Amino acid sequence: MRESLPFELSKDRSFFESLGDWIGDVLYDELPEKGFECRDEQIFMAYQIEQALKEKNVLFAEAGVGTGKTIAYLLPAISYARYTGKPALIACADETLIDQLVKEGGDIYKLRDHLGLNIDVRLAKSRDQYLCLKRFEEAEKVEVDDWIDDIAFSIPEGVYAQGSMKSAQLFGARSDYPTVSDEDWQKVNYNSLMQCGVCEMRNRCGQTLHRANYRMSTDLIICSQDFLMEHLATKESRKREGQLTLLPEVSMIVLDEGHLLEYAAQKAMTYKVQGYTILNLLERLMVDGVRERTLYAMEKLQDDHELFFDQLRDDIVRSDEERKTIKKSTKLLALGKQLVADVEQLLEEFVFESELYMIPEYELNMAEEFLEQYVASIRIFIAQGDAVDWLEETDGEETLVIMPRLITEVLQETLFSKKLPIVFSSATLSVKKDFSYIAYSLGITKYQSFSVPSPFDYEEVMKIYLHALNQAEKVKKVEQILRDEKQTLILFKSKKSMLEFKAKLPMMARLSTAFEGDRELSAIIRDFQNGDIKTLCSYHLWEGLDLPEEALTRVIIFDLPFPPHDPLFDAKRSFSENAFEEVELPFMQLRLQQGMGRLIRTSNDYGEIHILLNPEEQKVKTEFIEILPVTPIE
């Protein structure tokens, strides 16, 4: 049931005037009376958000660590949702941070407990965060380890029974299986191959049940920025096909850690073609009774697809980066054109097969939808237009990734051209209070902005050490720093850098160290917070991780977080006049500020930061010294 506004409306005062009065009462009086600090920066931020709601504007809200950003945006967001009759959407940087925002004892719980607000908050996670019953059934036939049985026992009995699923319990979210590794989860979760629209289990799977649940929210829907971008990328096509959009209409959007939106958009607005996926898909269709012409067309497509990927491997530019540049030889483009012809021929044969019913209807429909996406991707690839493409490994498979156009245009068209209040909330959105880098990166031309500092006295509670050493000496230095067993977060610029460190770390040191990817990340973070793990290594947790007081007292920056030299960032560099000044330096500065911001989260926090600098990194020391919160010790 929809809750009423948390304040009274009167005929002589507008909603926004009444909202302003209520925010003042809560932040100046009610919460301080119950032990909360009265923070001028937090109050200023809340009023700036109220103004952005009134004008339906984009707002860059940069507020330092400890400002109380979450409460500052929750108060106007909940009120505006109830006023408009549409939920407010909070999009976090990634899936892990969704769980952090709604954890018991967090800011949403505090508002419930101290203000008596009955807040309807529901989670909308990305599709790959849910179990796929079809993929689970396939995995169950071959997997023998305990993790597959744990998942089997978690599936409600009613899923496979006849009758309505309306009252079924929610199941199948990634966070329900904390002991399952990322590698195993990728064998049973939803992936882009699965065509839910033609699946006979679609109304019984956990993803569908969760979606129906969060669409009913009256106050807040919390999702990842990846999922928001996927919603925008698929919104129009889903409408055309008569499907519900991934997210409902909302009253406003808060982008928590909003500086990361660009990367979420890049991830969502791409096409992917995988090396073995199409081969496995077609093999499942080669059943008894299929016409010889159809079998030949499938085999021809499989053979040409393999030839295409063989040539793709020959055409990549060798590098250590995860995204590999493709040279696109004449032979590769010719093989791409042949693939387009092969798919068109096979789709014609499928028309006849659909009338014979030899291939199961679900399998045939899934293959048709997949092939239409596949051929659209190949056409973009061989068109030699303004697309950006590369080869990478995704879910253990070689994957051709194609981004059809710069995301600034897409975001302008799908998000920033709407009269919708959008609030970017982060401790680091600007470089020296200049917001032009993030605005330019996202194609935003009209916006409001402000920057308020952290209320903490960093000189009293933080020490920063700079260590000049060769790259080969960094692992030994980390071992030396870790000897006193403080709760330590080590941040790496990439997965590759973290894995190289892991390989060089002695076995005994690994026993008290957790690495991102070993298990579900929020489960690792909980163990770290409880002190069961002394050292946490990550390449994603530069932002959003909130571990107060003794839970985290040291951060090690293993390498400066410059962007990789890969096709995606190379495309950004090519569009700039000075790549270092316009792309690389602001990216590194923003990310470094975020990483250092993990340490001091409350007025009771203290600790140290160690930044390891090889000779190349030492050359740019003057470029980041001025953004450090305290004078470093060298």
Side-chain angles (χ1 to χ4, degrees), residues 49-119:
I49 293 173
E50 180 247 320
Q51 190 65 26
L53 295 179
K54 185 176 181 180
E55 298 180 10
K56 292 184 168 60
N57 244 343
V58 173
L59 172 66
F60 290 123
E62 181 177 68
V65 175
T67 304
K69 293 185 289 293
T70 308
I71 286 178
Y73 68 63
L74 282 175
L75 294 175
I78 294 165
S79 302
Y80 196 60
R82 296 182 183 183
Y83 174 66
T84 60
K86 297 177 183 176
L89 182 73
I90 300 173
C92 299
D94 59 37
E95 302 295 336
T96 307
L97 303 183
I98 296 175
D99 292 311
Q100 294 243 3
L101 190 58
V102 297
K103 68 183 179 182
E104 193 164 349
D107 287 333
I108 291 176
Y109 275 85
K110 289 174 184 174
L111 293 183
R112 280 176 171 164
D113 294 342
H114 295 288
L115 298 180
L117 282 176
N118 185 20
I119 305 169

Side-chain angles (χ1 to χ4, degrees), residues 281-303 341-360 363-364 367-368 371:
L281 176 73
L282 295 177
E283 282 178 7
R284 288 161 58 175
L285 304 183
M286 294 177 178
V287 297
D288 291 341
V290 174
R291 297 160 58 247
E292 189 172 326
R293 284 176 60 91
T294 305
L295 286 172
Y296 174 77
M298 287 194 282
E299 290 170 356
K300 177 91 166 56
L301 176 55
Q302 283 181 320
D303 291 343
D342 291 346
V343 172
E344 289 174 345
Q345 180 61 44
L346 181 55
L347 288 173
E348 286 184 20
E349 301 303 332
F350 280 171
V351 173
F352 294 101
E353 292 298 335
S354 65
E355 298 174 358
L356 298 176
Y357 300 104
M358 300 307 299
I359 301 175
E363 301 282 358
L364 188 60
E368 287 176 337
L371 289 174

Side-chain angles (χ1 to χ4, degrees), residues 231-274:
H231 160 72
L232 293 175
T234 61
K235 184 177 180 180
E236 294 306 318
S237 63
R238 292 180 72 87
K239 282 183 176 179
R240 285 196 301 272
E241 294 165 6
Q243 300 182 51
L244 286 174
T245 55
L246 296 179
L247 289 166
E249 292 296 319
V250 297
S251 56
M252 66 172 294
I253 297 175
V254 176
L255 297 162
D256 202 316
E257 306 295 354
H259 63 286
L260 294 174
L261 182 69
E262 179 185 5
Y263 310 106
Q266 289 166 345
K267 182 177 177 181
M269 297 172 186
T270 57
Y271 295 89
K272 293 186 177 182
V273 178
Q274 293 190 313

Side-chain angles (χ1 to χ4, degrees), residues 10 13 24 80 97 142 161 366 376 394-395 409 424 503 581 614:
S10 62
R13 294 182 68 74
Y80 196 60
L97 303 183
V142 295
M366 186 173 74
T394 304
D395 297 344
E409 302 170 20
F424 287 76
E581 295 287 340
N614 64 29

Side-chain angles (χ1 to χ4, degrees), residues 304-355:
D304 289 344
H305 176 84
E306 287 187 310
L307 289 173
F308 176 81
F309 262 81
D310 286 343
Q311 188 61 44
L312 199 57
R313 295 181 195 104
D314 290 341
D315 281 9
I316 62 170
V317 177
R318 303 297 166 184
S319 75
D320 291 330
E321 302 296 346
E322 293 179 12
R323 302 185 183 113
K324 310 291 186 184
T325 301
I326 303 165
K327 291 181 294 189
K328 289 192 184 179
S329 64
T330 304
K331 185 176 180 181
L332 180 64
L333 294 174
L335 287 168
K337 291 177 182 176
Q338 183 58 53
L339 284 179
V340 172
D342 291 346
V343 172
E344 289 174 345
Q345 180 61 44
L346 181 55
L347 288 173
E348 286 184 20
E349 301 303 332
F350 280 171
V351 173
F352 294 101
E353 292 298 335
S354 65
E355 298 174 358

